[in-house]
C-alpha cells in the first residue's frame, strides 16, 4: 500500500512488543540480573557481550556496538526492509499496518486490486495442487518421482499440475465469479485478438508457484510434460509480477534458514527444487530474464555473498560476463561475489544427483571470486608478454573498475593490476580520476544558491568548508550526509524546511528517509540504493567531491544549513507557497495531511487579495 506508516502506529507497536521475546526466538539468552545476555549474532565472539534490556526494550552489544529496538533487530537479523519489519511485528499482534494517505481513493483502489489479484492467484495455485493429486495428474507425479522429489519438497514448494485442457482453470475460476478480463490481466488466460477467444495459458505442465517475500503467490512457471514449446513458460508481466525483480525460491530459502549467509543463483525452477531435495537450501533462480540490479539489491539485503552458477559452455561464459557487468556497481565493501562454472553438459540438478550434496557444496566453496574472473576475462585471448596486449588487458580492467564503487576492493584490484602489468598504481589511479572528472553530472553547479541570502546558514564551521560555496544549501547538506550519514540525527524530525520541488530538494527528502529507515552508517550502502539513476550519479559525484570540513564542525554546519533553508522558506510570499503546493497536486502528487491543511489556509488567506489561478 502506498504512503508512509504513521509514527504513532510504530510507537504503539513497539510499546506492545517485547524485545526479549523477539531476540530470544533467534538468540539463546540467559537471565543476567535485570537484563538478558547472550552471544552477539552480529559478530563472532566466545564470551557474551550482547545484552537485552526488558526494562528499556533495547539491545546492545559491547563488542561490536550494534544496538536498537525490536524493529531494528528484525531489520538487521532477518535482513528485512523497514516496512517488512513493521508488518512482521504487526502480524504477530494481529494488526493491519495503516498508511498515511490511506483515505486517498486511488491508493485504496490500488490496494484492493492487489489483494484481489493475490487471492485470485492463490486460488489458482490451489487448483493446480488439487489436480496434481487427481488421476489426471498421474504423468506429472511420475515426472516428479523420476526427478527424485519427495512429497515433502513438492508440498513445501507448492508444486501442482495444469491439466491438458483448454479451459480447465478458466471454468474453475468463472464458477467463482472471476471474469475472463481479470484472468487475462493476471496472466492466467491467453486472449486471441483475431478470434476473440481466450483459453488457459498453462496446459499439461508441472506448475511452480512464484511467491513474494510474504509467501503469497504472484505468478507461475510451468514445465511442459510433452513436446510442446517452450519447455518452460512463465507468467507475463502483470500488476503484481515483474520478472526483473522477483527470484524463484527466495521465499522458500528464507523459510528454511533464517540466518542465510550465502545465496546461490541458478537458472531454473528444477535446479532450485533439486538442490533443496539434497539439503542445499540457499538457491534461487531468475525468471527467464537476465540478472538485474533489482535482483542484486534484493539478494544483498539478505546475504553478504552471492554465487552465480553457469554452464561451462560458451553461452554460460557469455552470461557470466553480462552478470559481471551488472554486479560491479553494487560491489561495496563487505559484499562478495563468486562465479561457479559447471562441467559441460551438466546443470545443478544433474550434477548434485551424480556427485551428491557435499561435492556440490565443495564446488561452490571453490568458485572463482569476482577478482579472479575479472582478470581472467580481461586476459582471455591476449598474450600478456606483448606490450600491446598488456595495454588492452589493462584498459579492459580499468573500464570495469570505473563501474566499481570506491572502497578497499577497488584499491586492491588496482594494486593487483599494477603488479600484473608493471605500471605504477598511481598512474592507474590518475587515469580513473580523469575518467571520473569527465563524467561529472551537468547539474553540479549552484542548485539553489542564487536565490539564497548571502548569510544563509552562516556558521563558524562554514568558513572551514568554503569550497562548498559552489553548491547550493541543499546540495551542501547532501554533500555532508553522503560523507557522514550519521549526521541525519542533527536534522529536525519534520522535513518542512527542505523544498522538495526545486534543485536537490526531492533527492534530499529521499536520502534522509532512507538513512532513517535503514540506520545506515556506510555511505556506499546508501549509494547502492540509487545506482543507475540520475540521482545516483549526483550522489556519486558528491561522494567523490572532497569534504574538507573537520568532523567536529559538521554537526554545526548541518544545523546552520537547516536554519538558512528555513529563513529562505519563511521569505516566500503566500502566493509563491500556494503556487508550489498547487503545482505538486496538479502533477498528481499526493500531499500530506499537513500540506493539504496549509493549502486550504493559503487559499483562505489569498481570497482577500488576487484569486489564485
Amino acid at each position: 500500500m502506498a504512503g508512509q506508516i504513521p509514527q504513532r502506529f510504530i510507537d504503539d507497536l513497539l510499546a506492545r512488543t517485547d524485545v526479549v521475546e523477539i531476540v530470544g526466538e533467534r538468540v539463546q539468552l540467559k537471565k543476567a540480573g535485570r537484563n538478558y545476555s547472550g552471544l552477539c549474532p552480529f559478530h563472532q565472539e566466545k564470551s557474551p557481550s550482547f545484552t537485552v534490556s526488558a526494562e528499556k526494550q533495547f539491545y546492545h552489544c559491547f563488542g561490536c556496538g550494534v544496538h536498537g529496538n525490536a524493529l531494528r533487530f528484525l531489520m538487521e537479523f532477518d535482513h528485512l526492509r523497514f516496512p517488512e519489519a513493521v508488518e512482521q511485528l504487526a502480524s504477530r499482534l494481529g494488526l493491519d499496518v495503516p498508511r498515511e494517505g490511506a483515505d486517498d481513493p486511488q491508493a485504496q483502489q490500488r490496494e484492493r486490486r492487489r489483494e484481489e489479484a493475490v487471492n485470485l492467484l492463490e486460488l489458482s495455485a490451489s487448483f493446480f495442487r488439487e489436480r496434481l493429486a487427481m488421476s489426471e495428474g498421474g504423468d506429472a507425479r511420475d515426472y516428479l518421482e523420476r526427478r527424485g522429489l519427495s512429497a515433502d519438497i513438492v508440498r513445501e514448494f507448492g508444486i501442482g499440475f495444469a491439466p491438458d485442457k483448454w479451459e480447465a482453470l478458466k471454468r474453475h475460476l468463472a464458477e467463482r465469479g472471476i471474469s475472463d478480463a481479470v484472468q487475462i490481466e493476471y496472466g492466467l488466460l491467453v486472449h486471441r485478438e483475431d478470434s476473440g477467444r481466450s483459453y488457459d495459458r498453462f496446459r499439461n505442465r508441472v506448475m511452480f508457484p512464484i511467491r513474494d517475500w510474504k509467501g503469497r503467490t504472484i505468478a507461475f512457471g510451468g514445465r511442459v510434460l510433452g513436446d510442446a514449446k517452450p519447455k518452460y513458460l512463465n507468467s507475463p508481466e502483470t500488476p503484481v509480477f515483474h520478472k526483473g525483480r522477483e527470484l524463484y525460491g527466495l521465499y522458500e530459502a528464507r523459510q528454511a534458514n533464517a540466518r542465510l549467509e550465502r545465496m546461490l543463483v541458478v537458472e531454473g525452477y528444477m535446479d532450485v527444487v533439486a538442490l533443496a531435495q539434497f539439503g542445499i537450501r540457499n538457491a534461487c533462480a531468475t525468471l527467464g530474464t537476465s540478472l538485474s540490479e533489482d535482483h542484486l539489491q534484493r539478494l544483498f539485503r539478505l546475504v553478504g555473498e552471492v554465487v552465480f552458477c553457469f554452464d561451462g559452455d560458451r553461452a554460460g561464459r557469455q552470461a557470466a560476463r553480462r552478470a559481471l557487468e551488472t554486479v560491479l556497481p553494487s560491489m561495496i565493501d563487505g559484499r562478495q561475489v563468486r562465479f561457479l562454472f559447471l562441467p559441460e553438459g551438466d546443470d545443478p540438478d544433474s550434477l548434485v544427483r551424480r556427485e551428491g550434496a557435499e561435492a556440490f557444496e565443495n564446488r561452490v566453496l571453490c568458485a572463482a571470486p569476482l577478482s579472479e574472473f575479472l582478470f581472467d576475462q580481461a586476459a582471455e585471448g591476449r598474450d600478456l608478454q606483448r606490450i600491446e596486449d598488456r595495454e588492452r588487458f589493462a584498459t579492459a580492467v580499468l573500464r570495469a573498475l570505473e563501474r566499481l564503487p570506491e572502497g578497499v576492493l577497488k584499491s586492491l584490484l588496482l594494486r593487483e593490476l599494477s603488479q600484473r602489468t608493471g605500471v605504477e598504481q598511481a598512474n592507474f589511479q590518475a587515469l580513473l580520476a580523469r575518467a571520473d572528472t569527465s563524467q561529472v553530472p551537468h547539474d553540479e553547479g549552484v542548485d539553489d544558491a542564487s536565490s539564497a541570502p548571502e548569510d544563509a546558514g552562516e556558521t563558524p564551521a562554514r568558513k572551514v568548508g568554503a569550497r562548498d560555496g559552489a553548491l547550493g544549501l541543499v546540495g551542501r547538506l547532501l554533500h555532508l550526509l553522503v560523507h557522514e550519514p550519521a549526521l541525519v540525527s542533527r536534522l529536525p524530525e519534520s522535513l518542512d524546511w527542505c523544498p522538495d520541488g526545486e534543485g536537490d530538494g526531492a533527492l534530499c527528502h529521499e536520502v534522509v528517509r532512507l538513512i532513517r529507515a535503514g540506520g545506515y552508517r556506510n555511505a556506499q550502502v546508501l549509494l547502492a540504493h540509487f545506482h543507475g539513476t540520475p540521482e545516483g550519479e549526483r550522489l556519486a559525484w558528491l561522494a567523490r567531491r572532497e569534504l574538507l570540513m573537520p568532523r567536529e564542525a559538521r554537526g554545526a554546519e548541518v544545523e546552520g544549513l537547516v536554519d538558512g533553508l528555513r529563513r529562505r522558506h519563511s521569505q516566500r510570499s503566500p502566493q509563491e507557497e500556494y503556487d508550489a503546493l498547487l503545482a505538486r497536486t496538479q502533477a498528481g502528487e499526493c500531499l500530506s495531511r499537513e500540506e493539504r491543511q496549509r493549502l486550504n489556509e493559503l487559499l483562505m488567506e489569498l481570497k482577500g487579495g488576487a484569486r489564485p489561478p
Side-chain angles (χ1 to χ4, degrees):
M1 182 184 292
Q4 297 292 319
I5 302 171
Q7 185 61 47
R8 63 184 179 277
F9 177 80
I10 297 171
D11 294 339
D12 180 59
L13 189 63
L14 289 172
R16 298 169 63 178
T17 299
D18 184 4
V19 70
V20 177
E21 181 181 337
I22 298 296
V23 176
E25 291 174 356
R26 297 158 175 81
V27 178
Q28 186 173 354
L29 297 176
K30 293 182 179 180
K31 195 79 166 68
R34 298 167 64 183
N35 298 326
Y36 294 81
S37 68
L39 295 176
C40 179
F42 303 112
H43 80 286
Q44 297 295 324
E45 61 177 8
K46 295 182 179 179
S47 57
S49 60
F50 184 76
T51 298
V52 185
S53 170
E55 179 183 354
K56 297 179 180 178
Q57 287 297 301
F58 206 74
Y59 68 88
H60 179 79
C61 177
F62 294 94
C64 66
V66 297
H67 61 278
N69 55 25
L71 273 176
R72 175 57 58 79
F73 184 83
L74 284 179
M75 292 170 65
E76 297 288 342
F77 188 90
D78 288 354
H79 304 288
L80 301 177
R81 293 176 297 174
F82 179 75
E84 296 171 358
V86 172
E87 291 196 13
Q88 188 168 128
L89 281 188
S91 67
R92 293 171 64 96
L93 299 171
L95 301 175
D96 292 325
V97 179
R99 304 278 180 153
E100 291 177 346
D103 54 344
D104 179 1
Q106 291 183 342
Q108 290 179 340
Q109 184 180 10
R110 284 195 300 270
E111 184 62 17
R112 278 197 304 271
R113 285 179 62 80
R114 181 175 179 85
E115 289 301 323
E116 290 169 358
V118 169
N119 292 337
L120 164 66
L121 293 164
E122 288 289 1
L123 186 60
S124 304
S126 296
F127 171 83
F128 293 137
R129 288 195 297 270
E130 291 167 1
R131 293 310 180 275
L132 179 65
M134 295 179 179
S135 59
E136 59 189 327
D139 288 345
R141 292 195 301 273
D142 290 343
Y143 168 79
L144 295 173
E145 188 175 340
R146 288 197 305 273
R147 302 300 292 262
L149 299 185
S150 67
D152 288 341
I153 286 293
V154 170
R155 182 168 53 254
E156 182 178 343
F157 281 84
I159 299 173
F161 171 65
D164 192 12
K165 299 176 181 177
W166 288 98
E167 297 184 347
L169 178 62
K170 175 182 175 178
R171 290 175 179 171
H172 177 79
L173 296 176
E175 290 172 0
R176 286 150 183 79
I178 300 170
S179 68
D180 285 10
V182 173
Q183 295 184 52
I184 292 168
E185 182 179 10
Y186 290 97
L188 300 172
L189 297 184
V190 174
H191 179 68
R192 293 290 299 268
E193 293 288 347
D194 52 354
S195 64
R197 180 190 172 196
S198 59
Y199 51 86
D200 289 358
R201 178 180 299 274
F202 299 102
R203 304 179 306 282
N204 197 32
R205 290 178 181 270
V206 175
M207 298 299 293
F208 300 83
I210 299 164
R211 294 159 167 167
D212 66 7
W213 67 274
K214 286 185 176 181
R216 302 175 300 186
T217 301
I218 56 174
F220 293 97
R223 201 277 187 194
V224 73
L225 286 176
D227 298 324
K229 301 294 183 181
K231 184 177 180 180
Y232 287 95
L233 179 65
N234 288 323
S235 293
E237 297 275 318
T238 72
V240 296
F241 174 59
H242 306 282
K243 296 178 185 178
R245 299 178 192 168
E246 303 299 335
L247 290 158
Y248 177 75
L250 196 57
Y251 168 76
E252 288 80 5
R254 291 178 65 179
Q255 292 298 109
N257 186 354
R259 299 193 63 180
L260 289 168
E261 296 178 356
R262 176 191 299 119
M263 282 300 300
L264 180 64
V265 181
V266 295
E267 185 177 352
Y269 323 112
M270 278 306 304
D271 293 328
V272 173
V273 178
L275 290 173
Q277 179 67 58
F278 279 78
I280 300 173
R281 302 308 309 268
N282 61 337
C284 63
T286 55
L287 296 161
T289 185
S290 298
L291 181 77
S292 72
E293 292 174 13
D294 284 337
H295 289 145
L296 281 173
Q297 295 309 318
R298 180 159 293 189
L299 288 167
F300 280 130
R301 286 194 193 106
L302 292 175
V303 296
E305 181 181 357
V306 177
V307 180
F308 297 106
C309 186
F310 297 100
D311 294 342
D313 57 13
R314 182 176 178 181
R317 292 275 172 177
Q318 184 62 35
R321 283 192 286 270
R322 290 196 300 268
L324 177 65
E325 287 295 310
T326 305
V327 161
L328 285 171
S330 298
M331 290 303 297
I332 61 176
D333 290 343
R335 293 176 175 177
Q336 187 172 4
V337 163
R338 292 178 180 273
F339 294 84
L340 171 61
F341 294 98
L342 304 182
E344 193 161 350
D346 268 316
D347 56 25
D349 182 8
S350 62
L351 191 61
V352 74
R353 293 176 195 284
R354 190 174 77 249
E355 294 186 346
E358 184 177 355
F360 189 89
E361 290 278 25
N362 288 336
R363 284 182 179 271
V364 172
L365 293 174
C366 296
L370 179 145
S371 56
E372 181 181 318
F373 181 61
L374 171 61
F375 283 116
D376 285 350
Q377 288 303 301
E380 188 175 4
R382 295 184 173 122
D383 179 3
L384 298 189
Q385 299 302 313
R386 298 177 64 241
I387 291 177
E388 291 81 358
D389 280 6
R390 202 153 66 242
E391 177 273 324
R392 294 186 182 94
F393 164 76
T395 299
V397 174
L398 285 175
R399 192 176 298 120
L401 295 189
E402 286 175 7
R403 298 171 54 80
L404 201 64
E406 295 298 329
V408 176
L409 176 61
K410 189 169 186 175
S411 298
L412 291 173
L413 289 174
L414 276 172
R415 181 187 300 174
E416 179 68 18
L417 179 61
S418 173
Q419 292 173 353
R420 294 194 183 203
T421 60
V423 178
E424 290 291 335
Q425 184 175 341
N427 293 336
F428 287 137
Q429 289 171 327
L431 289 171
L432 285 178
R434 193 178 306 159
D436 282 346
T437 303
S438 67
Q439 294 172 10
V440 171
H442 294 301
D443 60 347
E444 66 182 78
V446 179
D447 60 342
D448 53 9
S450 59
S451 58
E454 288 186 2
D455 64 341
E458 187 68 34
T459 66
R462 182 179 169 188
K463 296 174 184 176
V464 179
R467 285 182 61 184
D468 285 351
L471 292 170
L473 297 180
V474 182
R476 284 158 50 198
L477 183 59
L478 274 175
H479 189 210
L480 286 158
L481 291 175
V482 166
H483 280 269
E484 191 176 340
L487 288 171
V488 77
S489 64
R490 305 294 288 264
L491 296 175
E493 188 63 31
S494 169
L495 294 178
D496 57 0
W497 48 269
C498 182
D500 61 353
E502 57 181 271
D504 284 322
L507 179 56
C508 185
H509 275 247
E510 184 68 7
V511 165
V512 171
R513 185 186 68 77
L514 282 170
I515 295 175
R516 284 175 172 170
Y520 300 132
R521 297 172 233 171
N522 187 331
Q524 293 297 336
V525 178
L526 176 65
L527 294 177
H529 273 281
F530 294 91
H531 175 72
T533 66
E535 293 81 5
E537 292 181 11
R538 176 69 166 162
L539 292 175
W541 178 74
L542 288 170
R544 292 194 298 267
R545 183 186 174 98
E546 188 177 5
L547 183 61
L548 299 177
M549 188 179 303
R551 185 176 296 275
E552 62 273 12
R554 295 173 185 175
E557 173 73 357
V558 167
E559 293 171 357
L561 290 169
V562 171
D563 288 342
L565 286 163
R566 276 182 165 156
R567 284 200 294 273
R568 258 187 57 199
H569 184 72
S570 66
Q571 292 171 0
R572 287 202 300 180
S573 69
Q575 182 70 58
E576 290 173 330
E577 191 176 354
Y578 177 89
D579 290 343
L581 288 170
L582 187 64
R584 288 169 57 193
T585 62
Q586 291 172 340
E589 185 175 344
C590 185
L591 300 181
S592 67
R593 185 179 295 105
E594 293 78 9
E595 288 171 331
R596 293 198 301 270
Q597 183 178 345
R598 178 59 179 159
L599 186 61
N600 289 330
E601 291 172 355
L602 289 167
L603 179 59
M604 297 301 294
E605 182 180 343
L606 291 167
K607 277 185 176 179
R611 181 66 181 265

